[in-house]
Every structure is written in structure tokens, then in C-alpha cells.
């Protein structure tokens, strides 16, 4: 056990060292293992929550940039200690439970919201040797955790005994149940390309080439579905300040609201991470550079974790970019966009990818990548043509009554 | 007792208590949420039995879709979310009889099982449940036919739902 061992596999090193310390104290092996696992889980959650505090600052600074403001800049350099002031404010705020509220459900909801996000961190691989667990059904697990998040929002919205909160909860169900469909279909694309549902397997399969290059449309659809799943603008009908005051969390105050807010930010970052893992190679994906002599340091866990966080931050930034640029869309538009556009398109992309992957995999790599990319371009241009034709048809219908009116007058 | 047995006992207790609450809770929404607890407990059982695919699908399908639709339907259809009437009806003894008979027969079956050697055989190191499930679903010898029959049934239901919805829309337009 040397410092080099620590650098090559820090989690294993610390875990082995802790187990040894505990067994030296006279604990049995199994008890020591359970304790070490508990410590590991706690450290992972604490890491996620501390990162979350940073995300509050990032979010506020980035939204300020988009809206041509300065953002927090008083407390600490660049206002970096602003989130701590926010947390102190939330903690000392009066904690109000509305009179007609269903107290138990009202109090469980924020906890469940945070749980559904932290549960995602159990499978998030920060580096090839830093991860909670490597499930062989990881992609389905992502969907399952999302279901718990929906449940939290329904519970919060219903138990508040407030009509705005309840409408927010209703909208959430419509949103989640529909956008889960194209998301699950698109999650099959990395599965087909990597021949695996485990996140490690998907990342290893992208050592050479990113899936975003093989299936750019898949990436775009997943990106849209992720934003819908997060309930962020333009799909923020759950909160819709101008219509529902604050949506499902309107009755929450103090740290209970803080949990909803924190879990929303962490959720967005985590989905940035999933976009990075599924389509941009996660902690790896240097196009084979790490095999070149002199670049072996790229597989160091610390470098990998830094690369992953950077990619996840970029995904998070892209989600914010959409959020602070686009206006909210109407609920019927949102549902029509999902069922009439995203679902058929994702089915076409999935079937094309599945067939072409089997046909083209025998070709040399550059022809395979080119073929996959070209097929996506063909689908995209075909979609645009269909939409244009549809748009012309609608124009004709909408123009005609206006002409008649002119004739009458 | 192993850790698995302890988890099993705790989960079973939670499932039983939750199931009791599903049928006895006064508020319909509480009953639906207790149902979620029960379904989640069953997912934990699958996880203990190393059936990770079933465990995750249990959460996705039963909690993510069915329980949420239950809650949605309850919230949409009932104006008063509290059940005021008596919780039993006059024929309560018949299901009680059937349930107790089921309990007696289950207990007698469990009694007849061997008391030892019930630890499951260890799975092979490279055992991949998802892969073997997938292979079983596309192998003609095992489950290809039932799988395809179920898919056709679901597709028919889907087409039927779309047809009913769209024909209703046309009628609405004609008016």
C-alpha cells in the first residue's frame, strides 16, 4: 500500500484501509464490510449534497449571464458563499404546514424528492473505479428513480390542500407519463450500440467513438426528454409561476422548499451526467487517445472524475441554456409535441439504428460511423420535409377564411 | 440469521402492514400510497432474489405507471377523498372464509417443506440475468410464442385505443 496505489484506485485504497482498521479493532469481517459500505454511502451522499450547494451558485451566476445581470457578487469572491447564506436563511425560516394539509404525506414528499435524485447517484460512475454499483439494468433504474420523483411531486401537490399545488401535480403526471415513452425508447439506442445496459459497459463501448456521433438524433431526443423529465422550461408547467404561483411546492416553506429546490438542481446536474455517459463517453471517450504512449495518465481516476464532472457540467449548462432562453409551451402543445412528433421519430430512429448497426458493424470503423451519422441526417431531413409539408397544409387552411372575409368586405 | 433473512423479515413485516393499511385506510389516497409501499416491498424481494431486472421493472411498471394512474384516477374522480361509510359489507364472512382457508393450506404446505438446505445455490460469477431473459424471449423453444402473442395483444389494444379516441374526435367535429 503506497501512495501510487492510492492514486490509481483511491476508493479501493481507502476502503481496504478502513476495513483493516476496523478488523484490527476486533470487529468481524462482515460487520466491518457493512460499516465500510455505510461510510461509503454517506460519503457519496455528502459529496452529492456539497456539489449541490455549488450548483446553486452556478445556476444563479449562469442565469444572471443569460439575463444580462451580475448575479450574486457580494459574499466572497464572485459571490461564491451566497448559497451558504441562502441555506442559513432557509433553515431559520418559519416552517409552515398548512392547516388543511395531510401532515405525514406533506412532510414525506420533500424527502422522497431528494431520495429519488440521490438514488441516481448510486449508479453514477464518476470514474472507472469510483462508482456506487454497476447494475446490469442501470438504464431501467434511471426510469424507476424518475417514477419515485413523480410520486414525490404528486404527494407534495395533493397533500398541500391547495388548488394550484394540485393542478401542478396533475400536470406533472401528464408530463412524466408521456415523456417517459420516448425516453425509454431512446435509452434502447445506447443499449443496442454498447450491447449492454450497464453504465460501465456503455462507457467502455465509447472508448473509441462517442454515441452522439453514431446517433445524434437519439442524443437530441434524449436531451428534450431529460428537460421534460426535470420539469424545466420550456416544460415547466409543473411550476408555471405566471399561472400556478409556484405549482406543486407553493405551500412549502423553509428547508422543505429547500429540499425540492436542491433536488431539482441536483437532478438537472445528474441528467447532465447521464447525457455525458450515454452519448459523450462519460469519464472516458478520448477517441482512443489513452492507448497512445504518454497519455496513459488519462485513465487515472482523478483525471477521469474531473473529465466526467466537466462533461456533466456542460450538459447541465446546456439544460440551463434552454431553460433561460425559451418560453414555456402550452400543455396541449407539449402533449402533441410528445405523442405526434417525439414518439414516432424516436421509434424510427431506434429501428433504423438497430438495423444499420447490425449491417454496418462489419465495415471499417470510419465507414460504420459515417453510415450511422448519414442515416441520422437522412431521418432528420425527412422529418423536416414532412413537417414543412404539414405546415404548408395548415397555412392553406388558416389563410382561406381570411380571404373569404376580404371578399365579403 | 443472515443479513438476507433479516432484510426479508423486515420487508415482509412492512409489506403485511402496508397491505392491511391498503384495505383499512379511510382516505382513498392513503390507501393508494400504502399500495405503493407494498409494491416497493415486492421489488425489494426481487432484489434479494438477485432478479435485478424484475426488481427494477416492478418499480417502473407498478409504481411508475400503475400506482400513479391509480392516484391520478382517485384524485380526478372523487370529490370527497374520504370514505365515510362502513368498511365491511354484509357478505364479509365469505372472503374471510376463503382467505383463512388459503392461509391454512399455505401454512400446511410450508410445514411439509424440508426445514434445512433451503439456501439457494450460488449463481455463476458471469451470470447475466438480463441477457438470459432476453435470450429466452427470442428462443422458439422457450418463450418466443407467448412473448409475441402478448405483443400482438398489446398492439391490438393500442390500435383499438387510438381508433376509439380518433373516431370520437371526428364525431365531435361534425357537431
Amino acid at each position: 500500500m503506497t501512495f501510487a496505489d492510492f492514486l490509481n484506485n483511491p476508493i479501493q485504497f481507502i476502503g481496504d484501509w478502513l476495513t483493516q482498521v476496523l478488523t484490527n479493532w476486533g470487529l468481524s469481517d462482515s460487520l466491518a464490510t457493512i460499516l465500510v459500505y455505510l461510510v461509503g454511502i454517506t460519503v457519496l451522499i455528502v459529496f452529492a449534497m456539497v456539489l449541490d450547494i455549488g450548483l446553486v451558485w452556478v445556476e444563479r451566476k449562469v442565469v444572471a449571464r443569460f439575463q444580462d445581470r451580475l448575479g450574486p457578487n457580494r459574499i466572497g469572491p464572485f459571490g461564491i458563499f451566497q448559497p451558504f447564506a441562502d441555506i442559513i436563511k432557509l433553515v431559520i425560516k418559519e416552517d409552515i404546514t398548512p392547516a388543511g394539509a395531510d401532515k405525514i404525506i406533506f412532510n414525506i414528499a420533500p424527502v422522497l424528492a431528494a431520495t429519488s435524485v440521490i438514488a441516481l447517484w448510486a449508479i453514477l460512475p464518476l470514474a472507472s473505479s469510483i462508482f456506487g454499483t454497476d447494475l446490469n439494468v442501470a438504464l431501467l433504474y434511471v426510469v424507476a428513480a424518475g417514477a419515485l420523483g413523480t410520486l414525490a411531486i404528486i404527494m407534495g401537490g395533493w397533500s398541500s390542500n391547495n388548488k394550484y399545488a394540485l393542478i401542478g401535480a396533475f400536470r406533472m403526471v401528464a408530463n412524466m407519463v408521456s415523456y417517459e415513452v420516448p425516453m425509454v425508447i431512446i435509452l434502447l439506442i445506447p443499449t443496442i450500440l454498447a450491447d449492454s445496459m450497464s453504465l460501465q459497459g456503455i462507457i467502455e463501448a465509447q472508448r473509441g467513438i462517442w454515441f452522439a456521433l453514431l446517433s445524434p438524433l437519439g442524443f437530441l431526443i434524449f436531451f428534450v426528454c431529460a428537460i421534460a423529465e426535470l420539469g424545466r422550461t420550456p416544460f415547466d408547467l409543473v411550476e408555471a409561476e405566471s399561472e400556478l404561483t409556484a405549482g406543486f411546492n407553493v405551500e412549502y416553506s423553509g428547508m422543505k422548499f429547500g429540499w425540492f429546490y436542491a433536488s431539482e438542481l441536483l437532478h438537472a446536474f445528474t441528467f447532465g451526467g447521464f447525457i455525458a455517459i450515454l452519448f459523450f463517453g462519460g469519464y472516458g471517450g478520448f477517441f482512443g487517445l489513452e492507448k497512445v504512449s504518454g497519455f496513459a495518465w488519462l485513465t487515472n481516476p482523478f483525471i477521469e472524475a474531473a473529465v466526467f464532472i466537466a462533461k456533466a457540467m456542460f450538459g447541465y449548462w446546456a439544460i440551463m441554456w434552454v431553460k433561460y432562453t425559451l418560453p414555456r409551451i402550452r400543455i396541449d402543445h407539449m402533449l402533441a409535441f410528445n405523442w405526434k412528433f417525439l414518439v414516432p421519430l424516436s421509434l424510427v430512429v431506434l429501428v433504423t439504428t438497430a438495423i444499420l448497426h447490425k449491417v454496418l458493424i462489419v465495415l471499417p470503423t470510419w465507414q460504420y460511423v459515417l453510415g450511422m451519422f448519414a442515416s441520422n441526417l437522412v431521418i432528420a431531413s425527412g422529418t423536416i420535409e414532412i413537417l414543412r409539408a404539414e405546415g404548408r397544409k395548415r397555412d392553406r387552411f388558416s389563410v382561406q377564411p381570411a380571404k373569404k372575409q376580404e371578399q365579403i368586405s | 440469521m443472515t443479513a438476507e433473512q433479516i432484510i426479508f423479515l423486515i420487508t415482509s413485516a412492512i409489506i403485511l402492514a402496508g397491505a392491511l393499511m391498503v384495505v383499512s385506510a379511510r382516505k382513498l389516497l392513503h390507501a393508494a400510497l400504502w399500495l405503493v409501499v407494498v409494491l416497493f416491498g415486492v421489488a425489494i424481494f426481487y432484489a434479494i432474489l438477485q432478479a435485478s431486472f424484475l426488481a427494477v421493472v416492478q418499480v417502473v411498471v407498478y409504481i411508475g405507471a400503475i400506482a400513479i394512474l391509480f392516484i391520478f384516477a382517485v384524485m380526478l374522480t372523487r370529490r370527497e377523498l374520504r370514505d365515510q361509510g362502513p368498511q365491511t359489507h354484509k357478505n364479509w364472512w365469505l372472503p374471510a372464509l376463503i382467505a383463512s382457508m388459503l392461509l391454512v393450506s399455505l401454512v400446511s404446505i410450508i410445514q411439509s417443506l424440508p426445514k434445512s438446505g433451503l439456501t439457494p445455490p450460488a449463481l455463476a460469477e458471469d451470470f447475466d440475468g438480463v441477457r438470459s431473459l432476453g435470450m429466452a424471449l427470442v428462443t422458439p423453444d422457450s418463450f418466443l410464442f407467448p412473448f409475441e402473442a402478448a405483443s400482438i395483444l398489446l398492439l391490438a389494444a393500442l390500435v383499438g385505443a387510438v381508433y376509439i379516441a380518433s373516431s370520437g374526435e371526428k364525431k365531435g367535429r361534425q357537431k
Side-chain angles (χ1 to χ4, degrees), chain B residues 135-164:
Chain B
M135 290 309 287
L137 285 180
V138 292
T139 312
D141 294 343
S142 38
F143 296 106
L144 179 63
F145 180 69
F147 177 62
E148 290 300 327
S151 333
I152 290 169
L153 196 68
L154 286 174
L155 185 66
L158 195 69
V159 173
V162 169
Y163 176 75
I164 290 170

Side-chain angles (χ1 to χ4, degrees), chain A residues 19-29 31-32:
Chain A
T19 321
Q20 212 174 15
V21 168
L22 288 172
T23 43
N24 284 348
W25 283 355
L27 293 175
S28 69
D29 271 349
L31 193 63

Side-chain angles (χ1 to χ4, degrees), chain A residues 34 102 105 135-137 140-141 143-145 147-148 150-151 154-155 158 166 169-170 173-174 177 180 195-197, chain B residues 3 27 29-30 33 36 40 52-53 56-57 59-60 63-65 67-69 71-72 75-76 81 127-131:
Chain A
I34 292 173
D102 198 319
I105 299 180
L135 281 183
N136 60 354
V137 287
L140 281 171
Y141 181 90
V143 182
L148 289 186
T150 317
L151 197 64
I154 296 177
M155 283 164 69
W158 178 78
L166 191 61
F170 282 158
V173 178
V177 170
E180 230 163 48
D195 207 9
S196 166
M197 259 209 256
Chain B
K27 280 187 182 170
L29 210 91
H30 284 184
L33 290 173
V36 170
F40 202 79
S52 52
F53 181 78
V56 176
V57 166
V59 176
V60 173
I63 297 179
I68 284 181
L69 285 181
I71 294 171
F72 202 46
M75 290 202 295
L76 278 181
L81 285 167
F127 177 77
D128 189 349
V130 184
R131 191 172 293 273

Side-chain angles (χ1 to χ4, degrees), chain A residues 1-17 20 300-302:
Chain A
M1 298 247 261
T2 59
F3 187 63
D5 284 341
F6 171 72
L7 279 183
N8 286 328
N9 198 345
I11 301 298
Q12 184 75 33
F13 181 87
I14 295 170
D16 285 350
W17 175 76
Q20 212 174 15
N300 180 285
F302 290 99

Side-chain angles (χ1 to χ4, degrees), chain A residues 58 71 94 105 152 165-166 182 202 292 296 344 347 385 388 400 404:
Chain A
V58 170
E94 188 189 356
I105 299 180
L166 191 61
I202 288 170
V292 181
L347 280 171
E385 274 311 309
R388 193 174 287 159
Q400 267 176 344
K404 273 180 191 167

